[in-house]
Structures are given as structure tokens and as C-alpha cells.
Amino acid sequence: MNPYFFYAFATITVLMVVLMILQKNPITGAMCLIVSFFSLAGLYVLLEAHFIAVLQILVYAGAIMVLFIFVIMFLNLKKEDLKTGRRPFYQFAALIASGALVTFLVVQYTKIPPVSFPESVAGFGTVEAIGSLMFSKYVIAFEVIGLLLLVGIIGAVLLGKKENHD
Amino acid sequence: MQPFIDQIISECEILQGLPLWFSYLIFQLIFCGIIFVFVAVFAMLAGYAERRVAGRIQSRIGPNRVGPQGILQSLADGIKVFLKEDIIPTHADHILFRLAPYFIFIGMFLSFVAIPFSSQWVIADLDIGIFYLLAVESLVVIGIVMSGWASNNKWSLLGGMRSAAQIVSYEVPVALTILLVVMYSGTMSIQGIIMAQGAAPWNWNIFQTPFLFVAFFPLFMGSLAEGNRMPFDMPEAESELVSGYNTEYSGFRFVIFFFAEFSNLYLIGALATVLFFGGWQAGPLPDFVNGLLGIETPLSAAIVKNLVELCVFMFKSLCLVFIVIQLRWTLPRVRVDQLMNICWKYLVPVAFFNLVVMGIWMVVVPEYVTDIVALCMTACGVLLLGYFFYRVAWQLKNTKARLRFNPLS
């Protein structure tokens, strides 16, 4: 793992997520999130997990974000809707809470001993390796997740149908 | 790509003095440049071909004034568009409006990274190549949605939203069909999928089982829809939405949309060729050509081999491109609700059924039966192709424009 690439991708990811929170315009925020997803995929590639990297782009940047943007565009927010009243108390509280969190994290970070990245095994992160793991060691978890997703899909269909009858 | 570059380096003494990464970088850049030029030239020629085919199908002449038979028409149009003023609407979202064409452009070119033009000429043969192609397509969707939203125009917005809905829906049958091919070939690498097939038609994936043959149609229709081609070009339906998501674009930014559209046209053909029609597989043809030319050095032999395979790949994919162009001027545009019905009520169930039955078939049916089935399927395919040509010939013969017109006289 090349440290320069790691720091570049990590910086972009964090920066874009922070930007996403700070954006007032939801579409611009969504775009920042997309860029952060792409750099996160870059981090996965650096970790030799190419399959996960492509899944990250396909599922998050592709399907989920397109749906997000779709919904935001449907809402069609105007500039007046985006203005929020100033609440000094909340701002002050948020400032203190986030300051405390950052201090805590920095203190914890300095305590971590430096660890070098282990060399990856040949064939690590390929479709074959992931597939054989999923169908041997983690087969029960895999099937349960499949069932969970099926329940989710059926639930979505039911919710979608209910509105038509009323 | 790497074996080919290694071969060139081993033959060429100047390159041996340079560091290895530098020569790799140089060759990859050259190859990317070639692809860029190819896409530009292809967009121009396809634009011209499309208008001529349209003219022929609609019993009119089409562009034939600029250059011999109008071949330079696209160049003239390109120059004209370049000279246009680059307008950004006042109330548009300036940053996103400028950014959107780049997203589309990058998405298109990232797809070309994984397209294998011959056995050695591919920029990167990824382990997950076919999956990667699906993933980078999402950048294009984001670009289209972005351009539609940022234009601050009702037509653009509608176009962008239609595009998002359409591509997200049609990605499902396309992904399921690709999964079917991946299952049959046992690999996700694009080169692996091609190598699992053969040069002869009865070794192509499309004629292997009836399910693969049926699966070709969801894939083809899905990629037409994802490429915003007729009959699924809802995002830029010009009779309803002016020009859809690119209504507000002019000048060079519009050219980028135009390029993206035509490189997508090529990608439709290339993807179908890779998955179903044997890709660059040329069988004994490269050796035959090498023998004919009397080439002995390994490097020139490799170049000739790759060139022959490139020609085979281009021929197959351009045939499919021609069919796509013909479809555009043959079929009427579907409505939005029809579009969604076709996808969710027909293509997705068919793709799922195919996937399940194909799995059973692969386990149950012995090999000698599949060989016989493959031969029968090929015969059916040949008959279908014959009928297609018969119909085209009939049309060409009986529906000629009754207009005597000779631009040279």
C-alpha cells in the first residue's frame, strides 16, 4: 500500500464528507458524497480489494446516489426553503460537543502504536476468493442476509401497493 | 497490454535504456491517445452514417454536399459547433453546469479502459472487468442527471429525471444477463469471457444454449436504453423535451455530449460482441495472414496477429452498431410507462427465469447434448440472418426513392 496514495484518497474522502455536511444545497452535498465514495473505492483498491471497490461504485455511487439525487430533484427545493433560522444555543452546544469529540479522538490517535500494513496474500480480494469464502465459511450469514434483503424487497412492494388501493 | 509492451521493449534497443515504468507509461499514454482519436473519428463517421441511413430508410437523400458523398459533413458540423458561443444560463448552477459534461466524458472513457480490441491490445484486463463496465456507467448517469438539474430548465430537468429512472431500471436486466454470461464462462474478466468462446459461430456464447440466445435480447435492449438510443431515447425525446438534458448546452460542451452519445453507441456494439459474439476470436486467420505476408520476426507477427483480431472485433461490433442505427429509424419511440413496463414486467422476469434455468441446464445436461444444441442454434441463427438480409434486400429493391438526382452533373 503506497502511503502517498493512501493519504491523498483519505484526505479527499474526509474533506468531501465534511463539505457534504456543510453544504446548504442538497444537490451539491450529494455530489460531494459521490466524490467521497469514489475516493473510498480508491482506498479499497489500495487494500487489494478490487471487487469491493467496484461494488462500492456500482451500489453506492451508481444506484443509491442516483436515487438520492432523484428524490432531491423531485422535492425541487427552492432557495427560501433552504434557509434555516439561527439558533445560537444549538450552535454553541454543537461547537462544544464537536470540540470535545475532536480532542478525544486526537488524544486517542496519539496513543495508537505505529503499525505497518501486512503484505497481502496472492489472490486476496479477487472474486474467486470472496466467493469461496462466502459459500464456505460465511455461508449462514450470507444466506441470512439474502433472506433479509428479500424481506426488504417484499416489504417495499407491499408498501408501494397499499397506496394504490386506497 | 503488458506482454505486448514487453515484446516491443525487448525488440527496441532505445527503450531498453529507459526505466521500465517510463516506457510503460509512454505506451499506455499512446494507446489512450489512439482510443481518443478512434472515438472522435468514430463519432464523426457514425454521425454521418446515421444521417445517411436515416435518409435511405425515409426515402430521402441525406447529407451529400460536403466532400464526396457528404463524408465531411460531420467535420463541417463540428467546426460550426466549435465556433458557437458558449452560453451558460444566468440562473443555472454554474459549477455543476460546467462539471456535468466532464462526468459524462470520464465515464465514457473509463469504459474504454476495459474493452479488449484484440488478444493483447487492451489497456487493462481487469479481474472484474465486466463488473467494472457496469460500475463506470454510473458516472454517466450522474453526469446526465447533473446536467439536467443544473440547467435550471424544465425540459432539462425532465430529461435528467427520465434518464435516471430509465438507467437505474434497465441496469437490472443488463446486470442479470451479464451474470448469466459470467456464470457460463466462469470468469468476470472480459478477456476470460472471450477466451471461453471460440472463433467459429457455433462456439459463440449466443448459440451455446437457448437461454443465452434469449438472454441476448434483454442485454441488447437494456444497453440501448442505457445509451439513450431509440426506441428508448426518452431523456432527449425531441418531440416532447426539445433536446432533454442537453437543451441548454452549446458550443464545446455540447460536442462532449455528442461524443459521449456516439462512443456509447460503439460501447453497445462492443459489449454485445464481447459477451455473445466471440469478441476478437479469429481462429486460424492471424496465422494464415502471417503466412501469406511471409512475416518471420516475432514482433511483426504479433502486430499482424493483433491487427487481424482488431479487424474481426471491429467488424462484429460495427455490424451491431449498424443494426442499432437501423433500429433508430425503424421503430417508434416508446412512452415512459411503456418503457417501465417493458423493463419490469418483461425483461426482468425473463432475465431471472433465464438465470435459474441456465443454472439447472449447466448442471443437468451432458456435454454431447450441448454440442448438438449449439449446432442447431447456429443453424437457426444463420436462417434468421438470412431472413434479415432478405428483408433488407427487398426494402432496398422496392422502396427506392423515385428521384433522379446526380450532384455531379
Side-chain angles (χ1 to χ4, degrees):
Chain A
M1 188 162 171
N2 191 326
Y4 298 109
F5 280 111
F6 169 76
Y7 283 118
F9 280 127
T11 317
I12 294 171
T13 311
V14 174
L15 197 75
M16 281 299 156
V17 172
V18 170
L19 264 181
M20 185 207 78
I21 298 169
L22 296 179
Q23 286 298 327
K24 276 201 175 151
N25 190 334
I27 289 267
T28 327
M31 291 304 156
C32 292
L33 195 58
I34 289 170
V35 177
S36 85
F37 280 151
F38 271 95
S39 55
L40 204 58
L43 284 178
Y44 283 130
V45 171
L46 288 181
L47 289 168
E48 307 263 326
H50 301 120
F51 185 64
I52 307 287
V54 172
L55 267 187
Q56 165 83 18
I57 293 176
L58 187 69
V59 175
Y60 286 98
I64 292 181
M65 281 321 289
V66 169
L67 283 181
F68 272 22
I69 297 172
F70 200 64
V71 170
I72 294 171
M73 284 189 349
F74 254 126
L75 293 175
N76 202 9
L77 295 169
K78 297 195 177 59
K79 278 217 171 108
E80 301 88 67
D81 300 336
L82 298 174
K83 278 181 189 153
T84 46
R86 296 181 128 233
R87 290 176 208 160
F89 173 71
Y90 285 115
Q91 282 178 346
F92 187 65
L95 198 69
I96 289 176
S98 51
L101 183 68
V102 167
T103 323
F104 173 73
L105 285 178
V106 167
V107 168
Q108 289 299 312
Y109 179 76
T110 50
K111 283 182 189 166
I112 302 171
V115 189
S116 60
F117 286 105
E119 287 293 310
S120 62
V121 202
F124 174 81
T126 56
V127 187
E128 208 180 333
I130 291 174
S132 51
L133 264 182
M134 272 205 301
F135 283 101
S136 57
K137 197 176 170 189
Y138 300 108
V139 68
I140 295 172
F142 178 68
E143 293 295 334
V144 168
I145 290 170
L147 209 66
L148 201 67
L149 284 175
L150 187 69
V151 170
I153 292 168
I154 293 171
V157 170
L158 264 179
L159 283 175
K161 269 203 163 175
K162 205 177 164 189
E163 247 167 78
N164 284 343
H165 285 297
D166 289 340
Chain B
M1 199 65 197
Q2 199 179 0
F4 185 69
I5 298 174
D6 284 339
Q7 207 168 5
I8 292 178
I9 293 172
S10 68
E11 295 277 320
C12 186
E13 281 183 16
I14 308 162
L15 289 172
Q16 278 165 7
L18 295 168
L20 202 58
W21 63 267
F22 186 73
S23 11
Y24 279 151
L25 190 71
I26 292 288
F27 274 103
Q28 292 285 35
L29 281 177
I30 290 173
F31 206 72
C32 293
I34 290 172
I35 283 184
F36 186 79
V37 172
F38 163 71
V39 171
V41 172
F42 175 79
M44 271 172 56
L45 290 181
Y48 166 73
E50 176 139 48
R51 292 169 68 181
R52 284 306 292 245
V53 170
R56 187 66 201 79
I57 286 175
Q58 296 172 344
S59 294
R60 56 187 175 83
I61 296 162
N64 69 345
R65 284 298 153 128
V66 190
Q69 286 298 311
I71 190 104
L72 297 176
Q73 181 68 47
S74 298
L75 196 65
D77 288 347
I79 292 168
K80 182 195 132 195
V81 176
F82 266 114
L83 296 176
K84 292 269 180 189
E85 187 189 349
D86 181 29
I87 299 169
I88 299 173
T90 327
H91 291 288
D93 190 322
H94 285 242
I95 302 168
L96 290 184
F97 189 85
R98 288 200 186 126
L99 221 58
Y102 296 108
F103 267 73
I104 295 176
F105 200 63
I106 292 170
M108 284 298 155
F109 274 87
L110 283 180
S111 320
F112 275 94
V113 168
I115 295 284
F117 290 95
S118 78
S119 54
Q120 287 176 324
W121 290 349
V122 49
I123 294 183
D125 176 31
L126 301 167
D127 177 40
I128 36 163
I130 205 79
F131 220 47
Y132 165 85
L133 272 187
L134 281 178
V136 292
E137 183 80 11
S138 60
L139 259 183
V140 181
V141 192
I142 291 167
I144 288 177
V145 174
M146 219 163 156
S147 63
W149 188 82
S151 302
N152 195 16
N153 174 324
K154 290 279 191 297
W155 287 310
S156 304
L157 186 66
L158 275 175
M161 295 217 286
R162 279 183 181 186
S163 172
Q166 177 174 329
I167 297 182
V168 167
S169 312
Y170 274 83
E171 213 159 49
V172 177
V174 168
L176 284 173
T177 312
I178 287 178
L179 201 61
L180 189 75
V181 177
V182 167
M183 208 164 84
Y184 188 74
S185 319
T187 173
M188 276 192 182
S189 140
I190 298 185
Q191 292 285 44
I193 289 172
I194 294 174
M195 275 182 238
Q197 306 175 53
W202 51 86
N203 287 330
W204 292 350
N205 267 345
I206 188 168
F207 296 133
Q208 286 307 302
T209 68
F211 312 110
L212 278 166
F213 185 77
V214 173
F216 171 69
F217 296 96
L219 179 97
F220 197 60
M221 288 166 79
S223 44
L224 281 183
E226 285 188 16
N228 298 330
R229 290 291 302 183
M230 269 297 217
F232 304 115
D233 67 340
M234 301 311 300
E236 43 189 317
E238 56 277 279
S239 54
E240 305 157 27
L241 299 180
V242 188
S243 186
Y245 55 88
N246 56 22
T247 304
E248 294 288 356
Y249 283 86
S250 61
F252 186 65
R253 287 178 224 283
F254 180 76
V255 175
I256 292 179
F257 282 104
F258 180 81
F259 270 165
E261 197 181 317
F262 279 101
S263 57
N264 213 338
L265 176 64
Y266 182 75
L267 282 175
I268 294 171
L271 186 66
T273 310
V274 163
L275 291 176
F276 288 103
F277 294 99
W280 41 256
Q281 289 275 13
L285 203 61
D287 293 336
F288 176 71
V289 173
N290 269 330
L292 211 64
L293 296 173
I295 288 165
E296 275 152 21
T297 56
L299 181 63
S300 359
I303 289 176
V304 169
K305 180 171 181 288
N306 282 310
L307 267 179
V308 171
E309 285 167 350
L310 178 75
C311 291
V312 170
F313 185 79
M314 282 291 166
F315 176 73
K316 287 176 185 170
S317 47
L318 291 182
C319 279
L320 284 164
V321 165
F322 186 65
I323 291 175
V324 174
I325 290 177
Q326 273 197 331
L327 278 179
R328 174 164 180 187
W329 303 104
T330 314
L331 298 174
R333 182 183 297 130
V334 297
R335 280 201 321 265
V336 181
D337 58 324
Q338 289 170 335
L339 182 92
M340 288 295 154
N341 277 352
I342 291 172
C343 177
W344 292 107
K345 289 190 180 163
Y346 299 98
L347 295 186
V348 172
V350 164
F352 264 119
F353 175 79
N354 261 332
L355 198 65
V356 174
V357 182
M358 180 77 188
I360 298 170
W361 172 285
M362 278 172 67
V363 175
V364 173
V365 177
E367 200 167 325
Y368 64 92
V369 179
T370 51
D371 288 348
I372 296 167
V373 169
L375 284 176
C376 295
M377 298 275 306
T378 314
C380 294
V382 169
L383 281 179
L384 210 66
L385 204 66
Y387 182 66
F388 174 75
F389 280 120
Y390 168 73
R391 287 298 298 267
V392 171
W394 189 89
Q395 290 286 338
L396 283 177
K397 203 171 144 197
N398 294 314
T399 60
K400 219 171 216 145
R402 302 262 179 266
L403 183 65
R404 299 281 173 268
F405 183 76
N406 186 2
L408 298 176
S409 68

